[in-house]
Amino acid sequence: MVKNQKQIAALFASLALCGFAAVPMTAQAGTDETASGKESKAVVEEAKKSYISGDLGVQFVTSYYSRGILQGPQGQAGFDAQPYLDLYFQLYAGTGFVDKVTLNLGLWSNIASDPSPGVNDPFRGGNGVEGRNGRLRNVRIGPVTAGLASWTEFDWMPGVSFVFAKNFTLTTSYFEFDYPSQGASPQRSLNVSLAYDDTDLLGMWALHPHFTFLQELTGNANGGHVGLGLADTATSSSLGQYYEVGIAPAFTFMKDSKYAPTLTIPVTAGFGSSGFYGTGFGYASAGLTVSVPLAFIPSGFGSWTANFGGTYYYLGKNTARANAQYSNGFADHDAGVGFAGIGLTF
């Protein structure tokens, strides 16, 4: 009996010794490693990289201009809210000529503090736009939808982008602009943009140039154009084209600070054909944007940034006329917008 008890005791002792030996070294912190002054470090599995990224936020603008065309009553629109959400799905990443392929989805809205139709806006129910034959083409749309008076625009923009030759990005997108508040006909277009990151060439003085081409998919004699819809005759239904060139140099100051501000200076010019602006030149703009990271927000909630600034527009003759900036045969070519916003990337 004694012999059996000794065997059982020996068995339990062996099991206990094996269990102690199986405990990871990191669980013994405060014993041998701590006593010797060595820091205990746990082995952490590397987090898997996400193939989905995006950004979201809201901008507040004093007036809403789209490609130089006023979309609300000038001086009365207050601070319209423009919430947005962009999602990016990485489909491919490599080291060949094509570096990356990404599927994109953009959502954008305008929530107007003054939901009145845009002045002289051919597709918002304004007083119309003068055609080349001198006639005004008035467009009337239905009554404001109950409960949606302020939701003047909702855009959705799926597309795909290709990064190639390291610094070039080609993006092709389908644009659809809808108008929940008044039920106007959607405006549809195809948009192609080519951007070049010239940082390798110019360093901090990089210009970040881009070129954009837009082809209207909807258009008729009574409006529905993304642009002004001014063709050679008042009854033409030709679809217009939009061309844009621009640069956006950016400079970051106090780089050692968590709140290092970045100053961006976008300069853009827009042109049209087949009636998009009625003439070739639509507008030119220059702006200043200051963005500041909100480093006090924990990184687990994404990377937050606040921004503010302004944009000056020099408008072409037909653009100014469509914006009701025209009297006694003279166009007022000047317009300005102030804005502020907050957003995050993830």
Side-chain angles (χ1 to χ4, degrees):
M1 182 67 177
V2 175
K3 183 178 180 180
N4 290 339
Q5 291 178 342
K6 289 182 178 180
Q7 290 176 340
I8 293 173
L11 177 61
F12 278 107
S14 299
L15 292 174
L17 181 61
C18 291
F20 178 79
V23 176
M25 290 301 294
T26 55
Q28 301 180 48
T31 56
D32 293 342
E33 288 190 352
T34 304
S36 64
K38 295 180 181 179
E39 181 181 359
S40 175
K41 295 182 179 180
V43 178
V44 179
E45 182 180 359
E46 183 179 358
K48 293 182 179 180
K49 180 181 179 181
S50 174
Y51 295 104
I52 302 175
S53 59
D55 55 72
L56 62 90
V58 61
Q59 287 284 110
F60 298 93
V61 297
T62 55
S63 293
Y64 169 27
Y65 284 82
S66 176
R67 301 176 182 86
I69 304 170
L70 182 64
Q71 305 297 308
Q74 188 172 25
Q76 301 175 22
F79 272 88
D80 285 13
Q82 297 178 340
Y84 63 88
L85 168 65
D86 298 303
L87 295 175
Y88 309 101
F89 304 87
Q90 181 179 298
L91 303 180
Y92 167 81
T95 57
F97 177 74
V98 177
D99 301 283
K100 186 182 296 185
V101 180
T102 305
L103 185 67
N104 312 318
L105 175 61
L107 303 175
W108 186 94
S109 288
N110 188 78
I111 312 298
S113 57
D114 184 343
S116 303
V119 288
N120 275 6
D121 191 330
F123 39 79
R124 291 295 187 82
N127 296 325
V129 177
E130 184 178 350
R132 291 186 61 174
N133 62 359
R135 295 169 54 194
L136 287 177
R137 299 183 291 111
N138 294 315
V139 180
R140 300 302 174 190
I141 56 182
V144 173
T145 304
L148 299 177
S150 294
W151 191 9
T152 59
E153 184 171 335
F154 170 67
D155 306 341
W156 55 284
M157 300 155 285
V160 60
S161 64
F162 303 86
V163 177
F164 63 96
K166 185 181 178 181
N167 295 322
F168 291 88
T169 301
L170 177 67
T171 303
T172 302
S173 304
Y174 167 80
F175 282 10
E176 179 163 320
F177 305 154
D178 297 308
Y179 306 98
S181 65
Q182 293 181 321
S185 299
Q187 301 169 32
R188 302 182 176 96
S189 60
L190 288 179
N191 193 86
V192 180
S193 180
L194 179 63
Y196 175 59
D197 183 358
D198 55 345
T199 305
D200 290 344
L201 292 177
L202 301 180
M204 66 173 292
W205 303 104
L207 299 177
H208 305 290
H210 77 273
F211 170 77
T212 296
F213 170 76
L214 180 148
Q215 172 63 58
E216 290 182 326
L217 299 179
T218 55
N220 53 66
N222 294 319
H225 290 263
V226 180
L228 299 182
L230 291 175
D232 290 341
T233 66
T235 59
S236 174
S237 60
S238 61
L239 303 178
Q241 297 83 36
Y242 170 75
Y243 312 87
E244 176 182 301
V245 292
I247 58 175
F251 307 92
T252 300
F253 303 92
M254 300 184 296
K255 294 184 179 180
D256 294 334
S257 171
K258 294 188 299 182
Y259 301 95
T262 297
L263 174 66
T264 305
I265 310 173
V267 179
T268 307
F271 306 85
S273 60
S274 299
F276 194 96
Y277 286 115
T279 57
F281 176 69
Y283 75 97
S285 67
L288 294 175
T289 301
V290 177
S291 58
V292 180
L294 303 180
F296 59 87
I297 299 178
S299 60
F301 292 102
S303 179
W304 288 79
T305 303
N307 66 83
F308 60 92
T311 302
Y312 164 77
Y313 288 91
Y314 180 85
L315 306 174
K317 180 179 179 180
N318 281 340
T319 311
R321 181 173 296 186
N323 294 349
Q325 297 179 222
Y326 191 87
S327 62
N328 299 323
F330 295 96
D332 179 3
H333 296 281
D334 303 317
V337 176
F339 58 85
I342 187 171
L344 72 90
T345 58
F346 57 91

